[in-house]
Amino acid sequence: MPKRYSCPVELTVDVVGGRWRTVLLSHLKEGVRRYGELRRLMPGISEKMLSQRLRELEADGLISRHDRGTVPPHVEYDLTDEGRSLAPVLQALYDWGVARAERTGVRVDSL
């Protein structure tokens, strides 16, 4: 039986929830990324956590994993159509974060 939610926001937060899942989706919104690129873009995440979050997002149907089957490994991640449907939400979070940083004087390295 599918999980029931009392509010659409609850469902959204359940799907994209957590700091790393949202940040990963945001980076993938910009285009296809290799594992190493994601690792460099997110210096605060451990390799174990990155692998777990990528697997979760793939299982949820938000990203796809493409293994080229080469040595050394060449694995790319991209948003699925379902993941791309989150683009406006991710952009709104990004825009709000930029405005908040400007209002409060918080430094965001990627700006």
Side-chain angles (χ1 to χ4, degrees):
M1 180 154 145
K3 185 174 179 180
R4 294 181 58 124
Y5 297 93
S6 60
C7 173
V9 173
E10 183 183 3
L11 169 61
T12 304
V13 170
D14 195 32
V15 172
V16 299
R19 173 182 178 190
W20 298 121
R21 288 172 62 111
T22 309
V23 173
L24 277 166
L25 290 167
S26 182
H27 286 306
L28 291 171
K29 180 177 76 70
E30 303 303 319
V32 176
R33 303 279 189 178
R34 291 184 65 182
Y35 179 89
E37 290 178 275
L38 292 168
R39 186 80 178 94
R40 282 188 296 279
L41 288 167
M42 303 169 61
I45 191 171
S46 69
E47 290 199 31
K48 178 182 176 186
M49 183 66 65
L50 177 58
S51 295
Q52 285 176 344
R53 295 302 165 255
L54 287 167
R55 280 194 299 274
E56 290 170 2
L57 291 167
E58 184 180 14
D60 288 342
L62 299 176
I63 67 170
S64 59
R65 179 182 188 273
H66 305 283
D67 186 346
R68 303 291 181 215
T70 62
V71 177
H74 184 107
V75 178
E76 296 177 334
Y77 295 91
D78 194 12
L79 292 179
T80 61
D81 289 341
E82 185 71 10
R84 276 189 275 288
S85 74
L86 283 165
V89 174
L90 296 167
Q91 189 63 50
L93 288 170
Y94 180 90
D95 294 343
W96 188 87
V98 169
R100 171 75 177 175
E102 290 172 358
R103 286 192 303 274
T104 61
V106 172
R107 181 176 159 212
V108 179
D109 290 334
S110 68
L111 296 179

